[in-house]
Amino acid sequence: MNILITGAGRGLGLDLVTIALERGHSVIAGVRDLSRGQDALSGLSADYGDKLTVAALDVTDEEGIAALAASLKEEGRTLGSIVNNAAVLNASDTPLEELDIAEMQLALDINLYGPMRVVKHFLPLLTEPEASIINISSEAGSITNAYPGSYPYTISKTALNMFSQKLHVTLKERGVHVLSVHPGWMPTDMGGAKAPTSPRTSAEGIISLLEQRTAPEGHFMFVDYTGKDMEI
């Protein structure tokens, strides 16, 4: 299938691109900075040729997102999956009394409105059989297991889970499979060096979820990278 992956130039996104290509899929790797993204993905470009398209995709730039979608449509490209991976973790140690609301706005702009913009403009291209939308969420977005602090990230991920649920209800008659996925705690720029889960292991699980269209056992479309239900 053809898979669009945002935030593809580093961390989990880079491993998602790698695993998808290794399994025979074609990938459109969306990166905010095209020059840096091409550098990060140059080895994969050399190995996989036209199976990999590296494209400028800033999830806060709706005009740019719309232009990329229009360009791909003009080329006759279709999609089998959209993986909304791009995210930001900011002001995580800032108490509410000191929190600049601009930090909240930034997290919502990237972590919630970003996926909404991407789906808004790429949904018309999502026409391949057994299509899917995977929103990379976090256990931090669980209301049941809420913890102190980290207001921007946790609240934006909770809202992303709601977006996934609404997409599921809206698109189920079209047969589009939608999930919010907790990728595990990983030693990426966001997760830090002490995190125990390998990004490659997480990426393998997430690509398997979209390939196998694994469905949660419960009502909510919120699972971890192995397909296990998460508490909403």
Side-chain angles (χ1 to χ4, degrees):
M1 72 178 73
N2 293 303
I3 304 175
L4 172 68
I5 300 173
T6 70
R10 63 178 183 173
L12 176 62
L14 184 56
D15 280 284
L16 286 167
V17 174
T18 302
I19 299 301
L21 290 168
E22 289 177 356
R23 295 192 183 180
H25 303 293
S26 295
V27 176
I28 300 163
V31 295
R32 183 176 60 179
D33 184 328
L34 189 57
S35 60
R36 291 178 61 185
Q38 286 175 328
D39 288 344
L41 294 159
S42 60
L44 292 174
S45 295
D47 290 341
Y48 292 96
D50 60 7
K51 296 281 284 185
L52 174 62
T53 301
V54 183
L57 198 166
D58 180 342
V59 299
T60 67
D61 177 11
E62 185 164 1
E63 184 176 333
I65 293 168
L68 176 58
S71 175
L72 294 174
K73 183 178 180 180
E74 187 174 337
E75 294 172 8
R77 303 283 290 272
T78 59
L79 294 175
S81 185
I82 297 169
V83 181
N84 283 306
N85 169 69
V88 65
L89 172 64
N90 59 317
S92 57
D93 297 322
T94 304
L96 180 60
E97 297 90 336
E98 300 173 14
L99 181 65
D100 187 337
I101 296 302
E103 298 284 2
M104 282 297 310
Q105 293 169 331
L106 174 65
L108 289 168
D109 197 23
I110 296 173
N111 298 349
L112 173 63
Y113 305 148
M116 293 181 74
R117 293 182 187 105
V118 169
V119 174
K120 173 184 175 181
H121 291 286
F122 284 96
L123 189 58
L125 278 69
L126 195 69
T127 58
E128 295 178 12
E130 299 188 335
S132 63
I133 297 171
I134 304 292
N135 293 324
I136 304 302
S137 185
S138 171
E139 63 183 355
S142 168
I143 296 175
T144 301
N145 297 313
Y147 54 83
S150 198
Y151 292 96
Y153 185 73
T154 59
I155 292 172
S156 64
K157 290 299 187 178
T158 302
L160 181 64
N161 290 343
M162 180 61 167
F163 177 52
S164 298
Q165 196 70 22
K166 290 182 74 66
L167 283 176
H168 163 68
V169 172
T170 302
L171 300 175
K172 62 182 178 180
E173 290 188 1
R174 273 184 51 180
V176 177
H177 183 56
V178 182
L179 289 176
S180 266
V181 180
H182 167 54
W185 183 23
M186 300 170 292
T188 59
D189 289 348
M190 186 178 292
K194 295 182 179 179
T197 305
S198 162
R200 182 177 176 89
T201 298
S202 179
E204 288 173 342
I206 292 165
I207 297 300
S208 292
L209 290 176
L210 67 87
E211 289 174 334
Q212 300 166 14
R213 291 167 55 87
T214 303
E217 294 183 3
H219 177 71
F220 298 109
M221 301 297 109
F222 184 29
V223 299
D224 70 8
Y225 67 93
T226 71
K228 179 182 177 182
D229 286 27
M230 298 288 294
E231 288 187 306
I232 200 72

